[in-house]
Amino acid sequence: MEIQSAVKALLALAQETRLTVFRLLVAAGPEGMNAGAIAATVGVPAATLSFHLKELLHAGLVVARQDGRYIFYSANFAAMDDLIAYLADNCCQGGSCLPKTAAVAATTKRRRQTA
Amino acid sequence: MEIQSAVKALLALAQETRLTVFRLLVAAGPEGMNAGAIAATVGVPAATLSFHLKELLHAGLVVARQDGRYIFYSANFAAMDDLIAYLADNCCQGGSCLPKTAAVAATTKRRRQTA
DNA sequence: CAATCATTTCCATAAAAATGGAAACATGGA
DNA sequence: TCCATGTTTCCATTTTTATGGAAATGATTG
């Protein structure tokens, strides 16, 4: 992952409404939720939500799929995984890491050996 | 971790210069680096770096310590760990998670049971 | 091909963040 | 104390982002 992609993803998550939406979609699982339902749950006007969804979409953190006249948005779990891996990446050389970060780094290393 | 803290941390990381600085400090380990060395390595004017360091400091992602006439900055590993845990938090119910995220979630769960 | 409902685009406005030169503020050494 | 060096504050400017009403677009049903 290049730094620009990471910045884009972090920027997308670095806003209360968007972080709330993203976490909602993570919790909702692969089916996701349609825009109206998200707006109602989070409590923002449709236009505002649309703006934020576009940001998340553009950052690759969510995915959209049309279903009837609804548009369903769902979290892109792979993107979240990549971002987490990127954050933990050049860590743990000095043994300065804590549990979760170390867990990620261990997984990343295991993968690198396998690949 | 409350959402405002997460947003603050993400916002601090969501900028190319700051993300570069943070990763540099993560790689540098607990000793960290002094401001001038960081500025030289990253290639930004002192005033600009100072601005960005303050952002990272304010977000709790780095820590400062005076050493002679230098000020050393180092990564706050616990903060990074918390942020990663927060991102992976309400995940993995539907089994939709991927390796790194799952590793974090597993560690979080293990801790919760222990605690 | 209406009528209807979901969602997005348009747009103006308001708010927040990034940049870097110059000056101020430490700190340590002569 | 005076000087050199490291770092920060001040400040004006530019750029980016957030907000939400109103109108436009897209999709489905009768």
Side-chain angles (χ1 to χ4, degrees):
Chain A
M1 178 178 245
E2 330 88 59
I3 191 161
Q4 284 86 359
S5 313
V7 167
K8 212 189 256 182
L10 289 166
L11 206 45
L13 294 175
Q15 206 275 345
E16 190 163 338
T17 301
R18 285 196 298 264
L19 185 52
T20 302
V21 167
F22 182 71
R23 285 165 64 79
L24 184 63
L25 292 181
V26 164
E31 285 118 278
M33 291 174 72
N34 65 299
I38 299 171
T41 305
V42 176
V44 295
T48 302
L49 180 77
S50 189
F51 168 79
H52 289 307
L53 282 175
K54 198 161 63 170
E55 293 284 304
L56 288 168
L57 207 51
H58 195 67
L61 286 166
V62 306
V63 146
R65 140 185 69 92
Q66 182 116 24
D67 185 7
R69 49 183 167 191
Y70 298 88
I71 295 177
F72 277 77
Y73 287 87
S74 53
N76 181 351
F77 293 94
M80 177 167 73
D81 215 52
D82 285 353
L83 181 61
I84 287 180
Y86 183 83
L87 288 179
D89 196 27
N90 56 349
C91 191
C92 296
Q93 290 106 327
S96 6
C97 282
L98 292 171
K100 290 109 185 178
T101 317
V104 177
T107 307
T108 305
K109 271 178 202 151
R110 215 179 304 135
R111 278 199 146 183
R112 277 194 189 133
Q113 287 174 346
T114 317
Chain B
M1 179 179 245
E2 329 87 60
I3 192 162
Q4 283 87 0
S5 314
V7 167
K8 213 189 256 181
L10 290 166
L11 206 44
L13 295 175
Q15 205 276 344
E16 190 162 338
T17 300
R18 285 196 298 265
L19 184 53
T20 302
V21 168
F22 182 72
R23 285 164 66 79
L24 185 62
L25 294 180
V26 165
E31 285 117 278
M33 290 174 74
N34 65 299
I38 299 171
T41 305
V42 175
V44 295
T48 303
L49 179 76
S50 190
F51 168 79
H52 288 307
L53 281 175
K54 199 160 64 167
E55 294 283 303
L56 288 167
L57 208 50
H58 195 66
L61 285 166
V62 306
V63 146
R65 139 185 70 91
Q66 183 117 21
D67 184 7
R69 49 181 166 190
Y70 297 88
I71 296 176
F72 277 76
Y73 286 87
S74 53
N76 181 351
F77 293 93
M80 177 167 72
D81 214 53
D82 285 353
L83 180 60
I84 287 181
Y86 183 82
L87 288 179
D89 196 28
N90 56 350
C91 190
C92 295
Q93 291 108 327
S96 5
C97 283
L98 293 170
K100 289 108 185 178
T101 317
V104 178
T107 307
T108 306
K109 271 179 201 149
R110 214 180 304 135
R111 279 199 146 181
R112 277 194 189 135
Q113 287 173 347
T114 316

